[in-house]
Amino acid sequence: MAPTARTRLPGNSLAPLAGRQFVRAAVAEWTALALPAARGITDRLTEDAVLLVSELVTNAVVHAGTSVELRCALDGGGGDGRLSSLCVEVTDYHPARVLRARPPCDIDDELPRTGHGLRLVAECAESWGTTYHRTSKTVWFRLPVVPGAQRPPEAATAGDQALLRDLRVAEILAPAPRRAGDSPADPDWINHGALSFLAEASDLLAGQFDEDMVASLAAQLLVPRLADWCAVWLDTDGHVPRLSRVWHTSESRIETLRLTLEKDPPRPPAAALGSAVSWPWPGEPGAYGPGGTALACRLVAGGRGVGTILLGRAGLTRTPDEVVGLIEDFARRVALALASARQYTRQLTTSQVLQRGLLPRSLADIPGVERAIVYEPRGDTCAGGDFYDVFAGGEGRWCFALGDVCGSGPEAAVVTGLVRPWMRLLAKEGYGVGEVLDRLNRMLGEDAVEGAVGAVAAVATATETGAAGPVEPPDDGGPDSGAPRFLSLVYGELAPLGPGLGVRCTLASAGHPLPLLLRPDGTVRPAAFSQMLLGVMEEDAGYVSETFDLAPGDTLLCVTDGVTEHRRGSELPELFDDHDGLTTVLEGCAGLSAGGVAERIRRAVHDFGTTPPDDDLALLVLRAR
């Protein structure tokens, strides 16, 4: 059995360093044991492996945000001529990997975001690839161990290629990775294995919300099971197809193949919509390999074309009819997945444009005060139920707010979209902190808010169910309806006292996690007392504010419950703020800038659990200079 080392890394900024140390330790141990397969390990090979692991782990942490599994194996080759090699796999547990749009933030992530990870892998590795599962994604690479070995992948022995297929394809496709058309037993494979292939393909494609991810999955499902190479074009509004994905059993040919295919996209005849038609085998063996048979299949969903698949199989004069039928069935599933992904993308884009309007375009600079914001909405939205604002209130006052609408979705967004303008208007009209909260409380109970929330709920319900025509609101947004009219809010004013004298702070907390005041000596105390949620009582709730001075070096921290209630564990979950966890972390922030405090708190929240926060996370830091 090949020597193997495996570890799990945290989904935070410490993961790349831990991954580099793990690879070095594993290689050093195998070398110290004088294993036959390790005799060719050089310092250059070790550094290449460390570099590639660092890039891939960084990509996984930045884009997936989950823990990362790292596996290293030393393949000793064999009597069939295969070279010894170092095999490495990096697995994360977020197969969709949707990149979330992040609003402006005063904090720079410590993780590098070079964007060159896969390019480096392609340049340095002998071979590499990606394996998608229902709940994870693995990127793997192989480095030759024999000193000076520069064997191109296309010169690999048949046994080497078979081993790669066994390791990478068997985990995705069932049954064993034997290709259709290779033996007289293929009818049995078509009757049984093809059904498993289509079922697994449907499962992997279902729920993919990015059309390029669908194209990538389609190509890697087809290669090497049904083809030696494959390319997927996606139709665009400009009627010029876009080459989304190219895949080849020999990774070294992928870029050459892409450059060749981009010159001449396939255009199957209109009469062949949804059918796989024979296509001339291209005459550039440097990109495609030896001659064979090729098929082009138009991807059609709902009577409309969404793309084209072109695939080729070396060594055949024609593709068996059974395999053509299988490819057509597979193409229909791909087309449906692409159509769903495009619809989701359109809806998401519209939603994000509207959500960006819920966040302030800019934050006011307060004389004598540093500020920092961390805002991480849950999921793939750019604005959630949490909101923040810092603005000039007039007459030498600057106002700040951090709030959380009770609820989620479009209804919560409506409340956020109403509260922020009201709050700004009231502040600029000269109302004090307590008066602003009183008036917001009354406004949340008015019919205008109830009607707006109810109308949005009705539209959302109609969209989800596909209802046509006018739809009555599900309820009137009353107290028993569960509509998100309740709001927790920290709201305050800052008045500069003069250069080097700090600022006077007046604030109040309405049902919100209490703001904390950090002194330069590391002591921490609550800066307000808790009062009723906004929107619970329609009559005047009589909100009361507190006033105190922020001396130079004092720091005020405001957070939402996405920070204090972040959980770890399942049976008896522990909260981040249990046993004054937030206070303990803040005590260690004495002397840090506002940005440093915000980053320290954010990192502590993410390090607290093994999974990302399941709620919006927002915090506001104000530090007097």
Side-chain angles (χ1 to χ4, degrees):
M1 180 180 294
T4 302
R6 186 192 304 267
T7 188
R8 185 176 289 268
L9 307 174
N12 56 38
S13 59
L14 300 177
L17 173 60
R20 293 192 294 268
Q21 294 174 339
F22 179 80
V23 172
R24 283 197 175 96
V27 172
E29 180 180 356
W30 294 333
T31 303
L33 293 174
L35 299 176
R39 292 173 183 170
I41 292 180
T42 62
D43 292 340
R44 173 65 180 274
L45 182 142
T46 302
E47 292 306 314
D48 284 349
V50 167
L51 171 64
L52 300 187
V53 166
S54 182
E55 288 288 338
L56 294 181
V57 170
T58 298
N59 283 350
V61 172
V62 169
H63 299 311
T66 69
S67 60
V68 179
E69 183 172 318
L70 175 59
R71 178 181 178 272
C72 303
L74 191 58
D75 179 11
D80 55 1
R82 287 188 288 110
L83 296 175
S84 298
S85 58
L86 175 63
C87 308
V88 179
E89 297 177 348
V90 177
T91 301
D92 65 65
Y93 296 90
H94 193 312
R97 301 173 68 84
V98 177
L99 299 182
R100 298 182 297 178
R102 298 180 65 182
C105 175
D106 292 340
I107 307 301
D108 290 328
D109 291 338
E110 291 187 359
L111 285 171
R113 302 191 182 202
T114 65
H116 301 304
L118 292 182
R119 183 175 299 177
L120 285 173
V121 174
E123 290 292 332
C124 298
E126 177 193 42
S127 59
W128 69 281
T130 307
T131 300
Y132 293 91
H133 304 270
R134 184 62 176 159
T135 58
S136 66
K137 175 182 177 179
T138 297
V139 181
W140 59 270
F141 65 84
R142 294 165 63 94
L143 296 172
V145 172
V146 177
Q150 301 295 332
R151 184 190 58 174
E154 59 265 29
T157 65
D160 202 22
Q161 294 292 341
L163 177 64
L164 287 176
R165 289 175 184 171
D166 288 344
L167 291 177
R168 311 302 168 193
V169 182
E171 295 178 330
I172 297 182
L173 305 178
R178 180 166 56 80
R179 308 199 308 177
D182 280 346
S183 74
D186 284 332
D188 181 66
W189 187 90
I190 292 296
N191 293 332
H192 299 90
L195 296 178
S196 298
F197 169 73
L198 292 174
E200 187 71 15
S202 298
D203 188 41
L204 285 168
L205 293 171
Q208 297 296 336
F209 300 136
D210 180 87
E211 61 179 359
D212 287 310
M213 175 64 73
V214 173
S216 181
L217 285 171
Q220 295 184 64
L221 283 165
L222 287 172
V223 178
R225 176 54 66 102
L226 298 177
D228 291 308
W229 56 266
C230 174
V232 182
W233 280 266
L234 301 179
D235 290 359
T236 63
D237 294 336
H239 306 292
V240 177
R242 175 174 65 89
L243 183 56
S244 172
R245 184 61 169 167
V246 176
W247 201 244
H248 200 294
T249 53
S250 177
E251 288 84 1
S252 64
R253 289 181 173 176
I254 291 178
E255 190 59 29
T256 305
L257 179 58
R258 172 182 290 276
L259 294 175
T260 303
L261 291 174
E262 284 177 337
K263 302 175 184 176
D264 187 22
R267 293 178 174 82
L273 288 180
S275 300
V277 297
S278 296
W279 204 256
W281 184 270
E284 298 187 30
Y288 297 88
T293 180
L295 292 175
C297 187
R298 195 81 172 100
L299 301 174
V300 180
R304 300 184 59 182
V306 294
T308 303
I309 289 181
L310 180 65
L311 67 157
R313 179 79 169 275
L316 293 181
T317 56
R318 63 178 296 274
T319 304
D321 293 339
E322 297 85 351
V323 178
V324 173
L326 176 61
I327 292 172
E328 292 173 346
D329 287 341
F330 175 77
R332 282 190 282 272
R333 287 160 171 78
V334 174
L336 291 174
L338 285 173
S340 298
R342 289 187 171 185
Q343 181 178 6
Y344 172 83
T345 300
R346 286 193 294 268
Q347 294 174 347
L348 179 62
T349 301
T350 302
S351 176
Q352 288 178 339
V353 170
L354 296 175
Q355 288 169 351
R356 290 191 191 104
L358 303 178
L359 300 176
R361 293 184 179 180
S362 61
L363 300 178
D365 291 323
I366 307 173
V369 176
E370 298 177 37
R371 57 164 170 76
I373 297 286
V374 171
Y375 185 72
E376 297 180 354
R378 179 183 62 178
D380 53 8
T381 63
C382 62
D386 293 0
F387 67 92
Y388 60 90
D389 206 353
V390 179
F391 59 93
E395 300 179 353
R397 299 175 298 117
W398 280 262
C399 303
F400 63 92
L402 186 67
D404 184 4
V405 177
C406 297
S408 60
E411 300 95 325
V414 168
V415 177
T416 301
L418 294 174
V419 167
R420 277 191 55 251
W422 285 345
M423 186 172 58
R424 286 192 170 215
L425 178 62
L426 291 170
K428 292 181 179 181
E429 287 293 322
Y431 289 100
V433 172
E435 294 174 307
V436 169
L437 295 183
D438 279 331
R439 281 161 175 75
L440 287 177
N441 180 64
R442 289 198 296 269
M443 290 177 179
L444 286 171
E446 292 179 354
D447 292 341
V449 176
E450 296 175 357
V453 171
V456 171
V459 172
T461 301
T463 301
E464 293 174 359
T465 59
V471 179
E472 295 296 327
D475 51 52
D476 61 0
D480 298 328
S481 68
R485 290 192 300 113
F486 303 150
L487 173 70
S488 72
L489 179 68
V490 170
Y491 174 73
E493 296 178 352
L494 296 175
L497 299 175
L501 299 177
V503 294
R504 181 151 295 162
C505 179
T506 302
L507 59 76
S509 176
H512 203 80
L514 295 181
L516 299 177
L517 177 62
L518 170 66
R519 298 295 189 185
D521 61 0
T523 59
V524 176
R525 70 168 180 85
F529 63 91
S530 185
Q531 301 179 71
M532 185 72 68
L533 275 170
L534 298 174
V536 174
M537 301 175 60
E538 294 186 5
E539 64 271 13
D540 192 345
Y543 290 96
V544 179
S545 62
E546 297 183 52
T547 300
F548 55 91
D549 289 347
L550 282 175
D554 288 348
T555 300
L556 182 68
L557 171 66
C558 306
V559 303
T560 60
D561 59 9
V563 173
T564 57
E565 297 181 5
H566 179 42
R567 302 186 177 193
R568 68 178 175 192
S570 55
E571 296 183 0
L572 295 173
E574 179 184 2
L575 303 184
F576 177 74
D577 200 31
D578 284 350
H579 313 296
D580 294 325
L582 180 60
T583 298
T584 301
V585 176
L586 185 59
E587 288 173 344
C589 295
L592 296 180
S593 64
V597 173
E599 174 62 11
R600 179 76 61 85
I601 301 298
R602 185 195 70 83
R603 187 186 306 164
V605 174
H606 282 277
D607 291 348
F608 178 74
T610 57
T611 58
D614 59 358
D615 194 4
D616 300 332
L617 185 153
L619 59 92
L620 167 66
V621 180
L622 301 169
R623 184 177 185 272
R625 291 193 287 242

